[in-house]
Amino acid sequence: ALLPPPGGPGDAAGQALPVESRPFASYGSALHITLPQAPRAGQLLTLLIDYEAGDGPGVCWLSPEQTAGKQKPYMYTQGQAVLNRSFFPCFDTPSVKFTYSATVKVPEGFTAVMSATSWEKEKDNTFVFKMSQPIPSYLIALVVGDIVSADVGPRSRVWAEPCLIEAAKKEYDGVIEEFLVVGEKLFGPYVWGRYDILFMPPSFPFGGMENPCLTFVTPCLLAGDRSLVDVIIHEISHSWFGNLVTNATWGEFWLNEGFTMYAQRRISTEVYGLPYTCLEAATGRALLRQHMDATGEGFCLFLGVNPDDTYNETPYEKGYCFVSYLAHLVGNQSKFDAFLQAYVNKFKFQSITADDTLGFFLEYFPELKAKGVDSIPGFEFDRWLNTPGWPPYLPDLSPGQQLMRPAEELAELWAADGLNMEAIEAVDITGWRTYQLVYFLDQVLQKSPLPEGNVKRLSKMYPKISKAQNAELRLRWCQIVLKNNLEAEYSKVKDFLHSQGKQKYTLPLYRAMWGGSEATRALAMETFSATAPQLHVNVQNYVKKILGLQGAE
């Protein structure tokens, strides 16, 4: 119905309009509404759409056994990239931004939270939300569950199921504010008011989702030793890159993710220093290499049409390399930091294209424009965007060598035919942080399969690795177990896949099992049939594709 303008004459119930639903893309349908007369440019129309949302892919209904507490059901929405059209009628494209408000009534014993700048609880367990800053449709998010919160900073609290809240508070108390302050110093004011974190049930398919004011994260981040906080730095960085300045099309997803990876590593450098950040970036580069080896080198920064095919390492890590290349052209970190602030300030609350970004870069640095840096042979901006394959420029990660070299040397020792146990025992890994261990395991994986018996010895020697609770270590250990056919530890692969459903951990393990022996293929089928109901529908479909199961979409 078309409602009368506020305060104007007309029927308060509005005028009924003819509507038609037409097919649209691979998700959803388009609602065509016929207006009584053509609107003027800039005219404000108020439409009332009565709709019901059910089982669409953007709305996830979890049974109690899919939650951490196992007592009550849970529901959450996941809009990125084009799933919110199954949650409410909207212009479901990142090129359109708007404010929103919502009133949500939930049953007793449940709490609702949304990605909103303000929320209030009213009587009858009704919650009222408002988002006062314009955002694209994919950033609207709702959770309803048995959840509670605890303050961890002046503008931050953690939300989680009651059984996880203590662990969440302990892991994040005081750290979020530190990251926000560094982010503001580097990129300008944090405009979203609060920065809260919601720990999702284990079936949540992503590491994090940067819903404004309320980042959703995997419970895998509760490692107990703050070793995985870089994921939070990544989501915080989206407060500027992605949420404030947004890619206008999903084909240019690297504008969100490449800049965010760069921003994450800038914050990490300020907080943890350059060697550690270079080490983390080296593991990112290894993921890009693995991804390109697994899929052929066929990815450009500019991506194809179906937005859900864009979730791979390319926009993140190749995008990071491109932004690093721009910084390298400038040749001065503080000048490039100043550019990033000016960039955010110029395009805040807008959706932009790569042309806007690169045009502004050349305008901001006229001396570079005069030199024609956009068309240096082999490094042309156009080549970065449109030619698939390995990045033409790789940032220098050599400051990480002091942490990488010992890990490389230790991996060499373990890959040898006759193990030199004296040399191995001389290396003390008790002080190694997560990414140093991850880097070591990546090296071992590259050298796998190792000579007979070596992995078994390695497992025994380092229970800190083979019995780790840290998800990043568990993923690598499971990959090593599979690559070396260490059947005695196949149960660890099964346990890990039963414990969580994060896409980044789940898909590589199914790929490894399916590419392995008869035994690992059987393990894949058995594990999938047991865990499929607890996986997100997109992840189920990806796994079906890997396992060649019929009916995969």
Side-chain angles (χ1 to χ4, degrees):
L2 181 63
L3 299 184
D11 179 3
Q15 174 187 358
L17 299 175
V19 295
E20 187 196 349
S21 186
R22 297 186 202 160
F24 180 80
S26 57
Y27 278 129
S29 49
L31 185 64
H32 288 259
I33 301 171
T34 311
L35 295 170
Q37 65 253 10
R40 302 183 310 279
Q43 180 185 351
L44 185 64
L45 296 174
T46 310
L47 282 178
L48 178 67
I49 302 174
D50 191 12
Y51 69 96
E52 202 168 283
D55 248 358
V59 183
C60 306
W61 304 91
L62 305 185
S63 59
E65 58 269 21
Q66 288 174 288
T67 67
K70 311 247 182 282
Q71 302 299 311
K72 295 184 184 177
Y74 193 104
M75 98 44 108
Y76 73 89
T77 66
Q78 166 58 35
Q80 197 177 31
V82 291
L83 298 179
N84 265 348
R85 62 189 63 169
S86 70
F87 168 31
F88 60 95
C90 57
F91 294 106
D92 200 7
T93 159
S95 62
V96 175
K97 292 190 173 184
F98 47 85
T99 57
Y100 81 89
S101 62
T103 303
V104 184
K105 186 176 190 323
V106 300
E108 273 308 315
F110 290 86
T111 298
V113 288
M114 289 191 82
S115 52
T117 40
S118 77
W119 68 281
E120 279 160 38
K121 185 174 177 181
E122 300 190 344
K123 60 178 194 308
D124 297 335
N125 227 28
T126 299
F127 297 83
V128 178
F129 302 96
K130 278 193 180 70
M131 168 49 86
S132 55
Q133 311 280 27
I135 57 171
S137 57
Y138 75 89
L139 290 175
I140 293 183
L142 165 69
V143 159
V144 179
D146 178 15
I147 50 174
V148 291
S149 68
D151 284 322
V152 291
R155 45 185 159 171
S156 302
R157 58 175 79 96
V158 287
W159 288 90
E161 293 180 60
C163 61
L164 290 178
I165 195 71
E166 277 312 307
K169 184 173 163 55
K170 207 170 113 203
E171 194 99 7
Y172 287 96
D173 209 3
V175 294
I176 295 168
E177 187 59 25
E178 181 185 7
F179 302 149
L180 285 171
V181 167
V182 174
E184 290 190 296
K185 190 183 87 186
L186 289 170
F187 314 120
Y190 177 78
V191 303
W192 307 100
R194 298 197 61 79
Y195 183 87
D196 294 349
I197 297 178
L198 173 66
F199 287 88
M200 299 292 282
S203 62
F204 185 60
F206 307 110
M209 179 60 215
E210 65 274 12
N211 300 311
C213 311
L214 184 68
T215 283
F216 290 10
V217 293
T218 169
C220 295
L221 297 191
L222 298 173
D225 59 0
R226 298 191 167 179
S227 55
L228 298 180
V229 287
D230 63 285
V231 177
I232 298 290
I233 301 180
H234 180 88
E235 304 310 335
I236 284 175
S237 301
H238 273 305
S239 307
W240 293 274
F241 304 97
N243 295 6
L244 196 50
V245 179
T246 308
N247 50 231
T249 71
W250 290 119
E252 297 189 321
F253 188 43
W254 75 272
L255 289 173
N256 279 16
E257 292 302 346
F259 275 89
T260 295
M261 291 306 296
Y262 188 85
Q264 169 198 324
R265 288 169 181 155
R266 281 293 296 117
I267 294 176
S268 169
T269 300
E270 298 289 309
V271 177
Y272 297 118
L274 196 53
Y276 185 72
T277 303
C278 287
L279 179 64
E280 183 277 317
T283 55
R285 189 177 293 176
L287 281 177
L288 180 64
R289 181 79 273 171
Q290 263 178 36
H291 179 81
M292 288 195 167
D293 290 348
T295 54
E297 302 226 344
F299 280 100
C300 319
L301 270 184
F302 184 79
L303 295 146
V305 177
N306 181 358
D308 277 331
D309 292 343
T310 61
Y311 288 90
N312 64 69
E313 296 303 326
T314 310
Y316 293 78
E317 293 296 345
K318 192 171 176 179
Y320 165 71
C321 290
F322 189 22
V323 179
S324 301
Y325 176 64
L326 298 177
H328 164 76
L329 289 173
V330 174
N332 172 313
Q333 188 64 61
S334 57
K335 273 189 185 161
F336 192 70
D337 287 348
F339 159 73
L340 289 175
Q341 261 201 47
Y343 169 72
V344 169
N345 195 40
K346 179 172 173 70
F347 294 117
K348 60 179 185 254
F349 303 117
Q350 296 175 51
S351 301
I352 62 171
T353 64
D355 287 350
D356 297 324
T357 300
L358 297 171
F360 180 66
F361 175 78
L362 294 171
E363 190 184 307
Y364 188 88
F365 294 110
E367 66 286 4
L368 294 180
K369 186 178 183 172
K371 274 168 48 185
V373 293
D374 54 337
S375 49
I376 297 169
F379 300 93
E380 300 89 344
F381 287 180
D382 183 73
R383 177 190 171 127
W384 272 102
L385 298 179
N386 298 311
T387 305
W390 198 238
Y393 167 88
L394 294 170
D396 171 25
L397 302 181
S398 60
Q401 279 302 331
Q402 51 178 284
L403 298 169
M404 290 182 226
R405 202 168 297 110
E408 286 162 7
E409 286 164 2
L410 186 59
E412 287 287 342
L413 290 170
W414 279 105
D417 263 331
L419 288 178
N420 178 347
M421 289 314 290
E422 198 183 336
I424 285 172
E425 281 161 10
V427 183
D428 179 14
I429 68 165
T430 48
W432 289 15
R433 288 177 58 177
T434 300
Y435 277 102
Q436 197 167 7
L437 293 168
V438 162
Y439 187 77
F440 163 64
L441 293 177
D442 279 341
Q443 299 293 312
V444 171
L445 183 61
Q446 272 172 26
K447 299 176 194 309
S448 290
L450 302 187
E452 192 64 39
N454 286 20
V455 175
K456 207 172 155 188
R457 296 273 312 255
L458 193 150
S459 174
K460 220 168 140 180
M461 173 106 182
Y462 307 132
K464 138 174 195 171
I465 290 173
S466 60
K467 294 195 167 81
Q469 281 312 296
N470 182 308
E472 293 288 329
L473 298 178
R474 286 176 83 177
L475 166 68
R476 268 79 179 184
W477 184 248
C478 289
Q479 288 174 304
I480 289 167
V481 163
L482 292 168
K483 191 90 182 271
N484 291 277
N485 294 316
L486 189 63
E487 291 192 27
E489 298 200 18
Y490 282 176
S491 60
K492 287 190 177 153
V493 180
K494 205 160 82 181
D495 291 346
F496 185 43
L497 290 171
H498 273 265
S499 74
Q500 54 75 43
K502 185 179 163 184
Q503 193 169 294
K504 184 181 156 194
Y505 301 148
T506 304
L507 303 186
L509 290 178
Y510 278 104
R511 279 195 201 103
M513 287 188 279
W514 201 245
S517 62
E518 279 300 302
T520 62
R521 283 188 156 208
L523 180 69
M525 282 300 193
E526 178 205 340
T527 306
F528 183 59
S529 65
T531 57
Q534 70 186 45
L535 293 174
H536 185 274
V537 58
N538 281 7
V539 181
Q540 284 180 32
N541 277 325
Y542 288 137
V543 176
K544 281 180 187 166
K545 227 180 219 169
I546 293 167
L547 304 183
L549 296 171
Q550 282 317 302
E553 287 166 28

